[in-house]
Amino acid sequence: MQFVKKGLTLQEKKANMLLTVIIPVYKTELTLDRCIESVLGQEVSGDMEVILVDDGSPDNCPALCDAWAERDSRIRVVHQQNRGLGAARNAGLDIATGEYVTFVDSDDYLAADTYPHLLKRLAEWPDVDIMEYELKQTKAGEDGVTLTDKVYRDARLYWLQTRAWWHSYAWNKIYRRRLFDEVRYADDRFCEDMLALVQLLERKPVVATVHMGAYVYVWNDNGLTANVTAKKARELLETQIYASGVMRMSVFSHNGLDFYRTMMYRQIDLYRASGEVLLQWPFVRLLCWLHKHIKG
């Protein structure tokens, strides 16, 4: 079940909305206000709409979302039964009206003046379909994502040269909304953002990276990323296998070696958790055999 609870209807919305910001909300009542304040403070004015998707949150988040919609006309709220992060993003995409769309997780926030600078650059580069901007981490010892200003007219080069598999997140990017006409995030699947990004890159968009702005990722010990299970390891490895095929990456190629190393690590994680072997590489089979026979 899904319904729009608060905010303007589609007919009341500006026909030429520039940017839609989709914020999935689930069990983040302590950080939600900070997130929304950082988005509304971007000074994109009437050219921005914010869609809060309450994914059946059992805490005070539904009420907080409705209160924000009452306070600011740029906000609309969707309430739905809990279906997972991918489904929440899809619910926002289904009613988004902006020429561009972006995502923010409700336990994260944006650095000041991020969107105005990015939108100005998009106006200067009107053929760009996906723009990725920098990421800051709050967990000690974790690196962010530092980028240079560059336009990639071959999406495969973007994937390889930036090692995009390390930062295939949904949120530190602005997308032309029409890219999602045939792409949606997988429901209840780990690493659904990498899968969706690869599917978007299959459509041969023009991709740009920029050094300006910052998405601030707040580490959550109870979050999806922090709690890897056998199911998650398998889904991540399946996505990596799919990505290697789409991006035509030969094993141990110059640009792909790092990616194949990450695939091998995920295979070892999966084998330790469940005994499954998805990568039938001789070296991987040897590592699994060694682990089985000498782990004691």
Side-chain angles (χ1 to χ4, degrees):
M1 179 180 66
Q2 173 181 311
F3 56 94
V4 177
K5 175 71 173 180
K6 298 286 186 180
L8 300 179
T9 65
L10 286 175
Q11 291 74 26
E12 295 170 317
K13 279 290 177 184
K14 207 176 156 184
N16 60 338
M17 188 69 61
L18 180 59
L19 179 66
T20 297
V21 184
I22 298 172
I23 306 178
V25 178
Y26 185 73
K27 296 174 70 173
T28 52
E29 62 181 351
L30 298 180
T31 59
L32 181 59
D33 286 348
R34 178 186 63 190
C35 173
I36 297 173
E37 287 169 358
S38 76
V39 172
L40 296 179
Q42 293 297 308
E43 298 186 2
V44 184
S45 67
D47 286 332
M48 180 178 72
E49 66 175 350
V50 179
I51 301 175
L52 305 177
V53 183
D54 160 37
D55 190 38
S57 189
D59 55 8
N60 196 42
C61 282
L64 290 174
C65 290
D66 290 344
W68 272 106
E70 294 285 356
R71 291 162 56 184
D72 197 301
S73 62
R74 292 173 290 178
I75 294 178
R76 285 188 288 162
V77 180
V78 173
H79 295 283
Q80 65 181 27
Q81 295 176 345
N82 179 246
R83 295 166 50 205
L85 181 57
R89 289 184 181 137
N90 293 338
L93 287 170
D94 288 342
I95 62 171
T97 64
E99 179 183 356
Y100 297 98
V101 63
T102 190
F103 304 93
V104 181
D105 283 359
S106 55
D107 47 2
D108 301 332
Y109 61 96
L110 300 170
D113 298 322
T114 291
Y115 288 163
H117 289 304
L118 297 176
L119 292 172
K120 180 180 178 182
R121 184 55 57 87
L122 281 170
E124 296 168 351
W125 296 340
D127 59 341
V128 167
D129 300 301
I130 300 175
M131 178 173 284
E132 180 176 17
Y133 59 102
E134 294 195 335
L135 166 71
K136 293 182 179 179
Q137 297 264 16
T138 62
K139 184 181 180 183
E142 292 287 334
D143 294 329
V145 176
T146 302
L147 301 166
T148 58
D149 289 3
K150 187 170 183 178
V151 175
Y152 297 87
R153 302 192 180 281
D154 183 336
R156 182 170 178 266
L157 289 181
Y158 157 75
W159 176 263
L160 293 172
Q161 293 182 8
T162 71
R163 288 180 166 82
W165 51 89
W166 286 115
H167 44 96
S168 58
Y169 316 112
W171 15 261
N172 68 324
K173 300 169 182 68
I174 294 181
Y175 314 82
R176 196 177 300 276
R177 180 169 57 90
R178 67 168 182 249
L179 288 176
F180 287 98
D181 287 349
E182 298 178 357
V183 174
R184 283 295 187 268
Y185 289 93
D187 292 359
D188 191 28
R189 183 180 180 87
F190 186 60
C191 209
E192 80 295 330
D193 43 5
M194 180 188 290
L195 177 60
L197 178 62
V198 173
Q199 291 172 335
L200 292 172
L201 295 180
E202 277 190 277
R203 281 143 181 84
K204 298 179 172 56
V206 177
V207 184
T209 57
V210 292
H211 76 282
M212 59 190 61
Y215 184 100
V216 183
Y217 175 78
V218 180
W219 180 261
N220 181 355
D221 288 332
N222 296 314
L224 291 174
T225 306
N227 300 281
V228 177
T229 63
K231 176 178 181 292
K232 291 179 182 178
R234 189 180 208 281
E235 290 173 348
L236 175 54
L237 182 56
E238 288 173 343
T239 299
Q240 291 175 326
I241 293 171
Y242 171 74
S244 69
V246 170
M247 297 302 165
R248 306 188 306 280
M249 298 171 69
S250 60
V251 178
F252 306 136
S253 64
H254 173 70
N255 284 322
L257 181 58
D258 177 69
F259 183 57
Y260 281 99
R261 187 182 297 115
T262 69
M263 292 175 67
M264 184 178 69
Y265 292 157
R266 297 295 77 76
Q267 172 61 86
I268 298 303
D269 288 342
L270 177 62
Y271 185 79
R272 287 172 176 167
S274 67
E276 289 186 76
V277 179
L278 294 184
L279 294 178
Q280 295 299 319
W281 302 346
F283 184 60
V284 169
R285 293 202 303 269
L286 173 61
L287 288 176
C288 292
W289 183 89
L290 289 171
H291 179 272
K292 179 179 180 180
H293 287 84
I294 68 174
K295 66 180 180 179

